[in-house]
Amino acid sequence: MNNLFVYIELEDGIIANVSFELLTKGRALADELGCKLEAVVIGSGLDGIENQLYPYGVDVVHIADDHRLAPYTTLPHTAIICKLFEAEKPQIALMGATPIGRDLGPRVSSALYSGLTADCTSLIIGEHEDKKEGKKYDQLLYQIRPAFGGNIIATIINPECRPQMATVREGVMKSEIRSKTYKGKVKKIDVPSMVSDTDFVVSIIERHIEQRKVNLSAAPVIVAGGYGVGSKDNFNLLFELAEVLGGEVAASRAAVDAGYIDHDRQVGQTGVTVRPKLYIACGISGQIQHRAGMEDSAQIIAINTDEHAPINAIADYVIHGDVMDVIPKMIKYYKANSK
Amino acid sequence: MKTYKIIVLAKQVPDTRNVGKDAMKADGTVNRAALPAIFNPEDLNALEQALRIKDEYPGSSITLLTMGPGRAADIIREGMFRGADDGILLTDRAFAGSDTLATSYALSRAIAKYGEFDLIVCGRQAIDGDTAQVGPQVAEKLKLPQVTYVEQVLEMHPQSIVIKRRLDNGVEVVKAPLPSLITVTSSAPECRARNAKMIMKFKHAKTVTERQDQNEDYLSLYNDRPYLNIQEMTAADVEVDPKQLGLSGSPTKVKKIDNVVLQASDAKRIEATDADINLLMKELIDSHTIG
């Protein structure tokens, strides 16, 4: 009872990376809390899936296996999670901040009247004192996220309601195996007793799942542009530099909102989180929401005309100048020196 | 022909996308007054989907529902200028400090009070929080099916709706029964511009509170033209459990807020000269960072 639960997300039977990342974080938090780590898998054809989860330090794998449960739809997954949580009373529940987690999480929190914090960038255990009520709380989950356009960082807690729920984006937490020989146990969920026919009123007529066109998280070098790049055309220069360096082009939200580049290249709290060997930030001011998605890069170069841009504070190199002037020089001198 | 009653949920938000230098005070806190209040962008995408249904099924109606302070009536007028028929402002000091769950509770009570409808359309998320929670939380409170990440309403039928969803890794076409709640994402078509005729028609639309500031002879206007009355609902009007409102009704609490203060770094400063950039590229190649 009162353990830490992670919702395992599946796409065509394959476990999403974000679920492994949450299990890794969940295992560390469970160790600190002295509780068990439990995973919930809801889908179809799940034989043996527990063996992929145990190495992350999972003690119990709850499996709901029914042909009607894949692909994901809101109501049956909500019904199963809610009934399971009512019975098991987890203290913490984590989900990916993906289209599935962001569809399921709020629905569950609304049904169970438990607080949910979206898109956390950090989760830690801490205490809290409510002086007005004269109450002390040990071992609460601090759910930390940037807010208000990234100008502030908020620490959110749920003192009274359980589970304490949070969603985290893919790539924000690291994924790490606890032990190849770690063994937990399976608990089968009796699906017919958990869902009713009315949970299947929304039907999927058609699905086209495409591989992501760009894979930012695997790129060793990222050339990222912000609003300061100035136009869609100017982004071509960034593509040129990325190609020369064997990297990918990314962007800040401001550049995406301005229509300079596609949303699937957005880095930051509401985009992708990346940790390349080299991150070249071109005309990016560096609001914290953007920094949250790239500050763990091994090396950061900031190219900016604004000497006081926040990005400069986390950069290893600051090039004071115009992007359109600096990039051609970088291409030229990379070519000259790499031969 | 079948007509549809549509409720659009919208929020007035500070324009956090354009946080200029004057939006931060010297002590690092946010100067909210310096940020313009706007119609949340994805709620405009939502309104457009509703307007397209109304285009196709004339006689359908769109009611815009928002919760917020008195000035949030601005976005109801904004919605009317673009084609919404009427609006409801849910406003009460008791709602102050609500988190997403307390907000969705209040909204769901207002919708229950409103009466019958076929469809609720809202933006996927608001730019001041990016949580994407209120839509699904309202749907759960009303026991309605939900479809999130909607890019386009493809078909309306008397008892059902067919919708295209845009996900991170593809698209999905789903069929849901009516009534349902859908949340519309930013990849959906942009909202049409204001309509000059609608601006003429609705420019004097006001809430009761706003009308109190007007002089006497103007007030007859609102008796002659009832569509200029923007309905106001308070906590008492929607019969809520006060314990589920505002701060006390919010399971999540803000423990602390840290203003973002950056330390000056020890970054290497480089001028945009040929010589400096040549040295930089050499250094990066030598350290095997690139190449």
Side-chain angles (χ1 to χ4, degrees):
Chain A
M1 291 297 238
N2 304 133
N3 290 326
L4 190 152
F5 278 59
V6 173
Y7 172 82
I8 304 298
E9 194 169 309
L10 296 168
E11 181 64 62
D12 292 333
I14 295 164
I15 299 172
N17 287 336
V18 69
S19 300
F20 292 124
E21 293 159 11
L22 291 174
L23 288 175
T24 306
K25 174 53 91 177
R27 183 66 260 175
L29 293 173
D31 286 346
E32 197 176 341
L33 293 166
C35 72
K36 285 181 177 168
L37 173 64
E38 308 199 16
V40 190
V41 197
I42 302 174
S44 170
L46 302 177
D47 279 350
I49 195 128
E50 63 276 11
N51 296 320
Q52 294 179 57
L53 299 170
Y54 292 149
Y56 291 85
V58 180
D59 299 301
V60 180
V61 181
H62 299 267
I63 298 179
D65 195 339
D66 186 304
H67 70 278
R68 297 172 297 171
L69 296 175
Y72 168 88
T73 51
T74 311
L75 297 177
H77 282 239
T78 302
I80 291 169
I81 292 284
C82 287
K83 292 202 174 87
L84 183 68
F85 284 4
E86 277 165 0
E88 299 283 340
K89 306 207 181 328
Q91 56 174 309
I92 293 172
L94 306 178
M95 296 180 186
T98 60
I100 289 178
R102 298 171 110 234
D103 185 85
L104 176 67
R107 187 100 196 179
V108 170
S109 84
S110 185
L112 298 180
Y113 193 75
S114 62
L116 167 65
T117 305
D119 296 347
C120 295
T121 50
S122 173
L123 297 170
I124 53 178
I125 304 297
E127 55 178 27
H128 176 64
E129 189 179 356
D130 186 335
K131 292 199 176 103
K132 220 163 79 189
E133 300 279 329
K135 283 187 183 172
K136 277 195 84 167
Y137 303 85
D138 295 329
Q139 299 195 319
L140 284 181
L141 182 67
Y142 286 5
Q143 302 145 49
I144 299 165
R145 76 184 303 258
F148 212 75
N151 294 288
I152 54 176
I153 295 179
T155 301
I156 312 287
I157 48 170
N158 314 344
E160 294 292 342
C161 301
R162 295 291 176 275
Q164 307 165 78
M165 293 178 62
T167 65
V168 179
R169 287 193 164 250
E170 182 184 334
V172 172
M173 309 279 172
K174 285 190 180 132
S175 160
E176 220 169 68
I177 284 179
R178 166 59 58 104
S179 153
K180 278 180 186 159
T181 54
Y182 202 97
K183 272 283 169 279
K185 61 178 179 188
V186 167
K187 282 190 183 170
K188 292 265 185 209
I189 293 171
D190 180 37
V191 176
S193 72
M194 300 281 237
V195 297
S196 63
D197 289 345
T198 53
D199 288 327
F200 296 94
V201 288
V202 176
S203 53
I204 296 171
I205 298 172
E206 234 183 281
R207 294 183 94 220
H208 299 287
I209 297 303
E210 302 148 3
Q211 286 303 313
R212 268 176 247 182
K213 274 175 267 164
V214 277
N215 188 357
L216 293 180
S217 40
V221 176
I222 287 180
V223 183
Y227 192 72
V229 171
S231 74
K232 199 171 178 171
D233 282 348
N234 289 353
F235 255 88
N236 288 334
L237 204 50
L238 274 65
F239 278 98
E240 215 177 300
L241 177 61
E243 195 186 332
V244 169
L245 299 179
E248 273 290 357
V249 173
S252 70
R253 180 172 184 164
V256 172
D257 284 346
Y260 298 166
I261 193 158
D262 287 342
H263 172 257
D264 53 2
R265 292 185 187 271
Q266 184 179 317
V267 162
Q269 190 200 2
T270 56
V272 182
T273 298
V274 295
R275 296 185 185 85
K277 278 165 71 181
L278 178 63
Y279 191 93
I280 307 175
C282 311
I284 291 177
S285 66
Q287 295 295 337
I288 188 163
Q289 282 175 319
H290 184 74
R291 298 203 308 271
M294 46 68 72
E295 63 194 352
D296 290 338
S297 304
Q299 299 263 11
I300 297 167
I301 299 176
I303 308 171
N304 223 307
T305 49
D306 178 4
E307 292 209 52
H308 304 290
I311 191 88
N312 296 352
I314 59 163
D316 300 285
Y317 303 91
V318 174
I319 305 180
H320 182 233
D322 184 75
V323 171
M324 291 303 110
D325 173 43
V326 172
I327 293 183
K329 287 178 183 162
M330 292 176 82
I331 294 172
K332 179 175 161 194
Y333 291 109
Y334 173 75
K335 285 181 174 166
N337 289 303
S338 67
K339 279 168 193 162
Chain B
M1 189 194 259
K2 168 75 181 165
T3 59
Y4 297 93
K5 277 186 97 157
I6 304 166
I7 298 173
V8 173
L9 300 184
K11 184 180 185 185
Q12 190 181 46
V13 292
D15 191 354
T16 53
R17 296 169 307 176
N18 298 307
V19 176
K21 290 203 173 76
D22 55 345
M24 300 301 288
K25 295 182 198 162
D27 61 359
T29 58
V30 179
N31 178 13
R32 285 168 192 254
L35 293 174
I38 59 166
F39 201 121
N40 178 51
E42 286 189 340
D43 297 343
L44 279 175
N45 296 110
L47 176 60
E48 176 60 26
Q49 289 300 312
L51 289 167
R52 287 178 180 208
I53 295 170
K54 192 180 155 186
D55 290 344
E56 199 168 333
Y57 299 92
S60 295
S61 68
I62 299 172
T63 299
L64 208 136
L65 170 60
T66 188
M67 179 170 126
R71 66 169 187 278
D74 284 346
I75 67 163
I76 293 180
R77 278 182 289 275
E78 182 66 44
M80 289 169 153
F81 296 160
R82 295 170 193 248
D85 296 87
D86 52 22
I88 301 167
L89 173 65
L90 183 59
T91 186
D92 201 308
R93 293 189 70 93
F95 300 141
S98 294
D99 70 357
T100 63
L101 200 60
T103 300
S104 57
Y105 171 68
L107 286 170
S108 68
R109 295 305 305 154
I111 293 165
K113 194 78 190 170
Y114 170 84
E116 290 197 355
F117 58 88
D118 298 291
L119 182 66
I120 301 174
V121 191
C122 49
R124 176 189 52 153
Q125 62 191 36
I127 56 168
D128 57 345
D130 289 319
T131 70
Q133 289 175 3
V134 168
Q137 287 177 334
V138 168
E140 169 62 30
K141 297 251 176 277
L142 295 169
K143 298 291 168 207
L144 291 176
Q146 73 192 40
V147 181
T148 52
Y149 289 81
V150 171
E151 188 170 75
Q152 197 186 352
V153 173
L154 299 174
E155 295 167 26
M156 293 295 291
H157 302 284
Q159 307 293 334
S160 64
I161 180 171
V162 179
I163 302 155
K164 182 166 95 180
R165 304 179 72 205
R166 169 66 55 180
L167 306 174
D168 284 355
N169 56 350
V171 294
E172 211 175 74
V173 176
V174 304
K175 184 176 176 183
L178 293 178
S180 275
L181 180 147
I182 65 174
T183 78
V184 180
T185 183
S186 58
S187 64
E190 273 184 38
C191 191
R192 63 196 62 185
R194 298 166 168 198
N195 174 306
K197 261 164 71 183
M198 294 298 168
I199 295 177
M200 290 309 291
K201 182 176 174 186
F202 286 116
K203 66 180 174 189
H204 295 298
K206 286 197 161 60
T207 62
V208 175
T209 310
E210 287 174 321
R211 290 206 306 269
Q212 283 167 357
D213 304 333
Q214 307 228 319
N215 52 34
E216 287 283 334
D217 49 332
Y218 221 43
L219 288 177
S220 65
L221 186 67
Y222 295 92
N223 294 325
D224 301 342
R225 300 178 192 171
Y227 57 83
L228 292 181
N229 293 288
I230 295 175
Q231 193 184 346
E232 239 175 42
M233 285 187 184
T234 63
D237 294 329
V238 297
E239 296 167 25
V240 285
D241 168 10
K243 285 200 289 294
Q244 293 194 50
L245 294 180
L247 273 179
S248 62
S250 300
T252 58
K253 314 281 179 205
V254 177
K255 174 157 176 71
K256 64 176 181 142
I257 295 285
D258 291 311
N259 296 308
V260 178
V261 181
L262 289 166
Q263 308 292 326
S265 75
D266 47 2
K268 272 194 195 173
R269 306 273 154 174
I270 294 168
E271 289 307 311
T273 61
D274 282 77
D276 273 17
I277 291 177
N278 187 20
L279 278 175
L280 169 67
M281 297 317 277
K282 263 189 183 157
E283 195 177 316
L284 292 173
I285 292 167
D286 290 345
S287 66
H288 302 287
T289 303
I290 50 176

